[in-house]
Amino acid sequence: MKLCRFGKPGHEKPGMIDHNGDLRDLTGVVEDIAHEALSDATLEILRKTDPMALPKVDRPVRFGPCVSGVGKFLCIGLNYSDHAAETGAAIPEHPILFHKATSAIVGPDDDVVMPRGSTHTDWEVELGVVIGTRCKYVSEEDALDHVAGYCVVNDVSERHFQTQLTGQWTKGKSCDTFGPIGPWLVTRDEVGDPQNLAMSLDVNGKRMQTGNTSTMIFTVAQCISHLSQLMTLHPGDIITTGTPPGVAMGMKPAPVYLKAGDVMELTIEGLGEQRQEVRADD
């Protein structure tokens, strides 16, 4: 299933994409795409719901973040060996963890706003994993059973804030609008193997990133298992799993970062597309 949220910011409704690609209104079936709606039991109810019996929503319409009520926005850094190489970083022994503030979350086609003083804003197409059922100390073998579904994430990053403002990466990752997610939450049964998904990102129509989740250093299952040893993962928590090569930071001979007016377009196989225009903060 492809689940989504649509409408004006702060007033999104739950939706489903039917087999014709039409948007259907799930209001009345679930309150939102959040919390208990992400459980296996509720997802099974949604699978048995005839989308053709639901109200059809005329498009175009704004898609909001595909999940609401996110408790934790957990990010795995340097999780593609070729991306680590382009940035000159060593291959990590364990998954590198940092956080994005949940206030960074926006819809897949909302503007990305560069904060005041930004000169090093960068792009990162990533596979997002949405937890569906509570897990703690889960094994790698059982880890994917706790996934509700997957989505596209643009882990937008301000590299100067990230690396030069004393502290952790979170500073450069958490600016407002730096976490577009969606357009859809695609349930795990429809995705199948999360380790074989093609992904790409274009800036102003030029291909910058091309990759595949098969080249992750730590698999989705390994990331979930590792994090669950450290903290309880709850329904609606998002784990974004790293980016392939082609970010501005790794450009040779010199990086060319985003500027106002640039357009990012990104996609992951089977998970939909995002498009964001970049603008400077007022």
Side-chain angles (χ1 to χ4, degrees):
M1 289 184 297
K2 293 181 175 69
L3 304 176
C4 60
R5 301 172 67 250
F6 65 95
K8 295 180 180 180
H11 300 279
E12 292 93 347
K13 297 179 179 180
M16 173 189 291
I17 305 299
D18 68 23
H19 62 272
N20 293 320
D22 292 325
L23 173 60
R24 301 284 175 166
D25 190 343
L26 277 173
T27 303
V29 183
V30 290
E31 183 176 342
D32 203 350
I33 308 301
H35 308 304
E36 285 306 311
L38 301 169
S39 69
D40 287 345
T42 302
L43 292 179
E44 185 59 29
I45 292 172
L46 294 178
R47 283 189 194 95
K48 294 178 179 178
T49 300
D50 179 9
M52 309 311 281
L54 299 171
K56 182 179 175 180
V57 180
D58 292 332
R59 297 166 72 172
V61 66
R62 173 188 176 268
F63 284 102
C66 59
V67 178
S68 181
V70 176
K72 296 189 286 292
F73 199 166
L74 305 170
C75 307
I76 306 300
L78 296 175
N79 198 27
Y80 287 72
S81 56
D82 34 13
H83 171 57
E86 75 172 345
T87 59
I91 300 297
E93 287 187 52
H94 309 283
I96 293 173
L97 173 66
F98 61 92
H99 284 71
K100 288 179 88 79
T102 56
S103 55
I105 294 173
V106 291
D109 301 322
D110 291 343
D111 289 349
V112 164
V113 182
M114 296 188 303
R116 294 177 181 176
S118 171
T119 55
H120 293 69
T121 297
D122 205 347
W123 55 83
E124 295 189 18
V125 59
E126 305 203 5
L127 173 65
V129 181
V130 178
I131 298 298
T133 56
R134 180 184 181 276
C135 60
K136 178 74 170 175
Y137 302 130
V138 69
S139 67
E140 290 179 26
E141 292 72 21
D142 295 333
L144 296 186
D145 293 341
H146 294 272
V147 174
Y150 303 90
C151 63
V152 183
V153 175
N154 190 352
D155 177 22
V156 186
S157 310
E158 214 300 338
R159 301 301 189 185
H160 180 80
F161 294 2
Q162 178 184 347
T163 62
Q164 302 301 315
L165 299 185
T166 306
Q168 300 178 337
W169 289 4
T170 299
K171 289 183 178 181
K173 300 284 189 171
S174 293
C175 305
D176 294 347
T177 75
F178 273 24
I181 62 172
W184 312 310
L185 172 67
V186 183
T187 52
R188 71 174 188 268
D189 59 306
E190 185 166 328
V191 171
D193 181 8
Q195 301 306 148
N196 188 27
L197 302 175
M199 54 206 309
S200 65
L201 184 145
D202 298 350
V203 177
N204 300 330
K206 181 180 179 181
R207 180 59 46 89
M208 306 305 295
Q209 289 188 275
T210 301
N212 191 289
T213 58
S214 62
T215 64
M216 284 183 184
I217 298 168
F218 303 103
T219 66
V220 171
Q222 289 173 322
C223 291
I224 293 171
S225 177
H226 178 75
L227 293 175
S228 78
Q229 313 306 311
L230 311 174
M231 66 191 82
T232 302
L233 301 177
H234 296 280
D237 286 350
I238 296 176
I239 304 167
T240 189
T241 52
T243 197
V247 298
M249 185 182 188
M251 285 183 177
K252 302 294 187 295
V256 178
Y257 291 106
L258 292 167
K259 62 185 184 304
D262 286 346
V263 173
M264 294 177 283
E265 296 174 290
L266 49 155
T267 186
I268 297 179
E269 182 181 356
L271 303 185
E273 302 175 354
Q274 296 186 356
R275 182 186 187 278
Q276 299 108 26
E277 184 169 342
V278 180
R279 63 180 175 86
D281 205 356
D282 297 332

